[in-house]
Amino acid sequence: MQLFRHVSPFNTFDATHPLLSYLIRDVRGGRTPAGLERYSQQALWVLGVLMFGGLALVIGIYEPVYPDDYYRYQAGLIYTIAAVGVSMVTFVIADLVTLFYVAHAVRAEINRELRFELLRTTTVNPEDYIASRLALGQVRAWRVYVVFIGLRWLAVVMAILMALWGLVLLLIVQAFTLADLLQPTVIFFIAFFTLAVVIFLVMLLWEPFWRFRMLTTLAGSLATRFRNGFVMWLLLAGAYLLVVGLQGMLASGVTTLGVAGYQGTEDLLYRFSDFRTDYVSQFALVAGTVPYAVMPLVVWFAQRTFTRWRLNVAERFIFMRRGDDR
C-alpha cells in the first residue's frame, strides 16, 4: 500500500483547507487520504481472492481427456496469460472513467455561475482550486481505477509465481546443474531476458500512473477552456483518440528501430571475417534492445511535459471567461 499512498490524489493539494475539503465532502469511500487508502486495500484484497481463487480452482479441478505430467501447470499458465491479457485490454475502461469524472468534477462548479463567482472573492488561488477539482475527479475515478491497476499488479504476481514453478519443473526435468547455468551464453540470455522483463514491467505497471495524471490534466484543461458541453466532450474524445494514436505510433516506431538495429548490427558484424560468429546474435540483440530501453524514459518525459502544459492551461483559464490558449 506504500505505492498507492505515494500516488494518492490527495498529494496534489491541501485537503485540510476548509474550502477545498468542502469540495470533496460528498465523495464516498475516499474523501480523506485514510479513507481512500482503506478503500484501495479492500478492493485489492477482494480482487486478489477472486483472481488467485480462480487460479487455484483451475489448477485443482481441470482434468483433460488425455492428461500428461504437466497438465496442471499448463492449465495455470493459460489462466495466467488470460489474466494478463484481460488486464491490458480492459484498461481503456479506467482511462474513460478518469476522463469522465475529472471533466464532470470541473464543469459541475464552473456551470454554477453564482457559486463560481463567489469563489473568485475568496483567497483560494487558481492553482489550489484546480488541484482540488482535479483531485475530486481523481478520487472518484480511483474507485474504478484501482480495480484495473490492481488487476495488472496481481496478474504480474501470478505470472511471476507461474514462471518460478516452470523454472523448477525445467530444472527437474532437464537436470540442469549450477555449472550449466554459469555458462557465458546462458548468463547472457538470462541477463537479456531480465532486462526485457524489467522494461515490460515498467511500461505495464508504472506507465498507468503517469497516464492517470496526464489524462486528469487533459480532461481538466478542456473542461475549463471550453464551457460548451457538446464541444468539450467532442474535443475530449478526439484528444483521447489522438493520445492513443500517438502512443501507438511510438510503439510502432520503437519496434521498427529495434528490428532495424538488430538486423543492421548483425549484417555489419558478419562482414568482419575475424569476428566470432558466436557473439554476433548477442551483440545484435543488445543493439536491438536499445530503443526499448529508452522508451520508458521517452514516455515519461513526454507525458510529464504534456501534463505540465495542460495544467498551466487549466490554471490560466479557471477564473477566465475568455483568453488565448497558447
Side-chain angles (χ1 to χ4, degrees), residues 9 13 23-24 27 94 97-106 130-145 212 216 219:
F13 77 109
L23 296 176
I24 61 173
V27 177
V97 168
T98 300
L99 293 174
F100 172 79
Y101 274 118
V102 173
H104 178 73
V106 174
I130 192 61
S132 67
R133 300 311 299 187
L134 295 180
L136 174 60
Q138 286 179 327
V139 169
R140 288 175 170 170
W142 186 269
R143 293 172 295 176
V144 177
Y145 180 86
F212 184 61
T216 295

Side-chain angles (χ1 to χ4, degrees), residues 110-253:
I110 292 178
N111 290 338
R112 298 173 183 175
E113 298 293 340
L114 179 60
R115 290 180 59 181
F116 188 70
E117 292 298 327
L118 289 175
L119 278 172
R120 301 178 64 181
T121 65
T122 67
T123 58
V124 177
N125 57 42
E127 292 79 6
D128 290 337
Y129 177 77
I130 192 61
S132 67
R133 300 311 299 187
L134 295 180
L136 174 60
Q138 286 179 327
V139 169
R140 288 175 170 170
W142 186 269
R143 293 172 295 176
V144 177
Y145 180 86
V146 71
V147 174
F148 290 95
I149 191 63
L151 178 62
R152 282 197 176 189
W153 279 81
L154 292 173
V156 168
V157 172
M158 193 182 301
I160 293 174
L161 295 177
M162 293 301 300
L164 293 176
W165 186 5
L167 180 62
V168 171
L169 292 177
L170 184 63
L171 293 176
I172 294 175
V173 173
Q174 299 296 332
F176 282 130
T177 64
L178 183 60
D180 296 327
L181 296 178
L182 293 180
Q183 295 294 325
T185 303
V186 176
I187 293 176
F188 169 81
F189 281 105
I190 291 177
F192 176 81
F193 178 77
T194 303
L195 175 62
V197 169
V198 169
I199 296 172
F200 175 76
L201 292 181
V202 168
M203 296 303 298
L204 184 69
L205 301 180
W206 288 103
E207 190 273 342
F209 293 113
W210 311 336
R211 187 186 186 90
F212 184 61
R213 178 65 173 165
M214 178 186 67
L215 293 180
T216 295
T217 55
L218 172 62
S221 64
L222 290 179
T224 58
R225 178 67 178 85
F226 300 95
R227 304 301 173 89
N228 184 282
F230 176 78
V231 173
M232 190 275 296
W233 290 114
L234 183 64
L235 290 175
L236 188 58
Y240 177 69
L241 293 177
L242 178 61
V243 169
V244 173
L246 290 176
Q247 290 185 331
M249 292 173 60
L250 175 63
S252 299

Side-chain angles (χ1 to χ4, degrees), residues 243-265:
V243 169
V244 173
L246 290 176
Q247 290 185 331
M249 292 173 60
L250 175 63
S252 299
V254 169
T255 301
T256 302
L257 289 175
V259 173
Y262 175 84
Q263 294 179 344
T265 302

